[in-house]
Amino acid sequence: MTMKLSTAALLIMTLLLGACTSLPKNESTEGAEPPAGDESPIFALAPTPTEASNETASTPSSSLRSSPRPASAAHSIWNDPDFRRRLAESYLSETDVEPPLSKSERQDLFEAIDLIGNGKLPEAVDLLLELIEDSGNATFDCTLANVYIQQEKLDEARQACQAAVEKFPRFRRAWRLLGQIQANDQRWTEAVTSLSRVIELGGGDGFTYGALANAYFKLGRYVPAETAFRRANLMQPDRVQWMVGLAESLFQQQRYEAAIAMTETLIAEQRESPELWVAQGEAYALIGQPMRAAENFEMAARLGGANAKCLNNLAILYANNEIYDQSVKYFLRAMKKDPAAGPGTAIEGAGFLLGKGALVEAAELIDGIEASLADGPDDPRLQGADPLAAASPEDRKELLRLRARVAGLQDDVETQRLTLVEIVDLDPRDGTALIQLGLIARLAEKPEQAILYFERAASVPDFEGDAKKSIGQLLVSQDKYAEALPYLRDAYKIDPRPELLKFIEQVERAAANR
């Protein structure tokens, strides 16, 4: 049995999605700007001519400009159409991220806003569609998108935003709204494109960087997600979800020490958050510090926020470190925490404890599993019935198998035999149980019964070789060498091991001497 921690994500990223992609329900047509209290400075990525002239030689950008460049490279850059477009855009004023409105268009927009404000959304849609057809101004498309969002028509809203940015490619507000809609629809690649465009157009606030980081994270691009989360956290240090996202990005890059340091900062601010303790605990486990991980999981349990997965992880840590009594305790707590998950992990844990020689603790865990199953069902028909009645057939069989192992280790042969019979009743083709029953019958000097069990096991393909070898060995013990040889030779054909061949040669010599 492999006892290891699962590598599930640190924290649920839907918290980030909620923060980054929630769509406005009652906003004005001024667009999808961040809610009140989230304002942050606007940073334009490309410098204006005035800013460029004021840069000092000490800045990285000016140092790069002063470095000699090959003439061919410079010629190539200056002739690149995309570079020339971006350079030209950097000279435009901030007002050029909104389509210009004529006086009549502004009056039409106020009329639409009045309808929206009075809750007359269908009438507003009709008016805006008419204005789009007559005027073609991208502002009307963006306003229509906002109305569609209020009507929860996100497909139509996305199409309206797309039309707006196609008409006016520098329409920052429309790009931001389009990015929000795409993220809400889990169109992460498209959201990255739209939100990156917002930043290019000078809208690089904390909210936009956080939304972009979340989109990168969902695409599994953890390095750019980390960078964007750092920018978001720089601009909005009071938003804990950006730090959570950063820690998660580090975790996914397997930079566990950095993730631990980040979660340490978060825990200092939110010591009552069990999710943070669990996150850091998983990182500790993955860098080979199991007892530090256990401390974190214990803290999460004390805070009442440890789910079944956390409790099972804690049980596994204690089992791997031979603290068996605590392991039993937390396996059983995990079962009670999430009864619907079934006893599979606890059963696996009991098998692990048996393998480690912890017979007493394994038996205690098996008893606890059966007691939990007996207490679980509400069906009155099961009250006072078999304690394993609520278990699935596979779980029931595994528990019986463990019971048989415990009885065998305790030299309680009769309990072992009866338990194996129960297994065969559940699954008549359980080869392991049939062979074990045959061995018990042989030790009890019941050769006919033993051969019967071995022959039944031989009809199960995966057990044919072992079963025929067992029959051959039994016949040899009865000095029936000639009868044993066909079974032994068949077993050797299935599993040609040298020691079996040597045994066959000895039996052949014994048969020849008879």
Side-chain angles (χ1 to χ4, degrees):
M1 165 187 163
T2 301
M3 299 294 290
K4 62 181 181 179
L5 287 173
S6 63
T7 55
L10 271 164
L11 296 174
I12 299 174
M13 292 302 293
T14 51
L15 175 64
L16 293 176
L17 180 60
C20 298
T21 63
S22 58
L23 298 176
K25 294 292 183 181
N26 296 302
E27 280 188 339
S28 72
T29 55
E30 287 303 308
E33 299 293 345
D38 292 337
E39 300 295 336
S40 59
I42 296 175
F43 291 80
L45 297 187
T48 62
T50 304
E51 291 169 337
S53 64
N54 290 335
E55 287 181 344
T56 66
S58 63
T59 62
S61 56
S62 62
S63 298
L64 289 172
R65 283 195 295 272
S66 65
S67 303
R69 300 284 183 89
S72 59
H75 183 270
S76 174
I77 292 171
W78 282 100
N79 282 280
D80 181 84
D82 188 59
F83 173 80
R84 292 168 67 88
R85 175 183 63 79
R86 292 173 185 274
L87 180 67
E89 287 179 351
S90 72
Y91 285 84
L92 299 175
S93 67
E94 284 292 307
T95 58
D96 287 320
V97 296
E98 290 279 337
L101 288 169
S102 67
K103 184 177 180 180
S104 61
E105 288 173 336
R106 193 175 298 275
Q107 291 174 342
D108 292 335
L109 180 60
F110 286 156
E111 183 179 347
I113 291 173
D114 186 58
L115 290 172
I116 296 168
N118 289 318
K120 299 179 179 180
L121 299 186
E123 292 86 346
V125 169
D126 292 339
L127 174 59
L128 288 166
L129 288 172
E130 182 181 337
L131 293 172
I132 289 169
E133 184 175 354
D134 293 344
S135 166
N137 193 298
T139 299
F140 296 133
D141 295 272
C142 188
T143 306
L144 178 62
N146 273 291
V147 178
Y148 280 142
I149 289 171
Q150 293 184 62
Q151 294 179 318
E152 299 184 0
K153 298 178 179 179
L154 296 187
D155 287 340
E156 291 88 342
R158 184 177 62 255
Q159 293 169 12
C161 281
Q162 193 65 54
V165 298
E166 288 173 0
K167 292 177 181 178
F168 194 80
R170 287 182 55 83
F171 198 171
R172 188 173 68 199
R173 184 159 52 91
W175 279 112
R176 178 181 283 115
L177 188 57
L178 179 60
Q180 288 180 288
I181 296 169
Q182 290 163 339
N184 186 78
D185 291 341
Q186 299 184 20
R187 297 170 177 253
W188 304 116
T189 301
E190 296 173 23
V192 164
T193 300
S194 299
L195 295 168
S196 296
R197 185 62 174 146
V198 174
I199 293 170
E200 289 175 5
L201 294 170
D205 57 8
F207 175 84
T208 303
Y209 271 112
L212 177 61
N214 187 53
Y216 274 129
F217 187 92
K218 294 294 186 180
L219 290 170
R221 298 177 62 183
Y222 303 120
V223 173
E226 175 196 346
T227 301
F229 275 128
R230 289 190 186 279
R231 293 295 298 269
N233 185 57
L234 180 66
M235 296 178 181
Q236 294 181 327
D238 293 334
R239 277 189 175 268
V240 176
Q241 56 263 48
W242 304 152
M243 294 184 71
V244 171
L246 176 55
E248 176 71 359
S249 300
L250 294 169
F251 189 92
Q252 294 296 335
Q253 295 174 64
Q254 299 183 10
R255 293 165 59 189
Y256 301 124
E257 290 84 355
I260 287 169
M262 179 59 63
T263 51
E264 191 68 34
T265 301
L266 291 166
I267 288 171
E269 297 178 359
Q270 302 182 65
R271 294 193 63 81
E272 302 303 312
S273 171
E275 295 84 3
L276 294 175
W277 288 101
V278 170
Q280 190 181 60
E282 290 183 345
Y284 274 128
L286 289 167
I287 64 170
Q289 296 189 36
M291 299 318 296
R292 288 295 301 272
E295 290 175 10
N296 278 53
F297 294 150
E298 288 272 15
M299 177 62 76
R302 283 198 292 272
L303 291 171
N307 58 19
K309 173 191 162 186
C310 173
L311 296 170
N312 276 323
N313 283 343
L314 188 53
I316 291 168
L317 283 171
Y318 282 135
N320 284 332
N321 286 274
E322 301 183 0
I323 309 175
Y324 301 130
D325 57 338
Q326 292 297 304
S327 178
V328 170
K329 169 186 172 182
Y330 282 104
F331 274 129
L332 295 176
R333 282 188 61 180
M335 276 192 66
K336 291 180 180 179
K337 190 75 174 180
D338 186 11
T345 303
I347 291 172
E348 189 178 357
F352 180 80
L353 294 179
L354 273 178
K356 295 286 255 182
L359 178 59
V360 173
E361 291 82 358
E364 181 185 349
L365 180 52
I366 294 168
D367 289 340
I369 294 169
E370 293 181 353
S372 294
L373 290 171
D375 293 341
D378 296 325
D379 190 337
R381 292 173 298 176
L382 297 177
Q383 301 302 316
D386 180 353
L388 299 186
S392 68
E394 190 58 34
D395 287 339
R396 179 187 176 93
K397 189 166 74 169
E398 286 304 312
L399 280 168
L400 288 171
R401 201 185 305 281
L402 290 172
R403 277 284 181 210
R405 285 178 63 187
V406 170
L409 291 169
Q410 293 174 334
D411 295 326
D412 187 350
V413 178
E414 182 60 15
T415 299
Q416 183 184 25
R417 186 187 68 80
L418 292 173
T419 307
L420 290 169
V421 168
E422 284 191 66
I423 294 174
V424 172
D425 288 343
L426 280 175
D427 181 5
R429 292 178 62 78
D430 189 303
T432 300
L434 288 168
I435 288 176
Q436 288 178 331
L437 282 169
L439 293 172
I440 291 173
R442 179 182 170 182
L443 289 173
E445 299 182 357
K446 298 178 180 178
E448 295 81 6
Q449 188 181 72
I451 289 175
L452 179 61
Y453 280 126
F454 290 145
E455 287 178 343
R456 288 177 62 183
S459 68
V460 182
D462 290 342
F463 295 89
E464 182 182 0
D466 286 340
K468 288 190 173 182
K469 183 181 72 172
S470 296
I471 294 173
Q473 289 172 331
L474 188 153
L475 292 171
V476 167
S477 70
Q478 295 176 323
D479 297 334
K480 298 178 180 179
Y481 305 118
E483 293 180 43
L485 282 171
Y487 291 103
L488 294 173
R489 287 167 181 158
D490 286 347
Y492 182 75
K493 290 177 184 178
I494 296 169
D495 185 10
R497 287 180 288 180
E499 61 270 21
L500 180 56
L501 178 61
K502 184 177 180 180
F503 181 66
I504 291 172
E505 291 170 348
Q506 292 172 346
V507 175
E508 287 173 339
R509 286 194 295 271
N513 292 330
R514 292 297 295 265

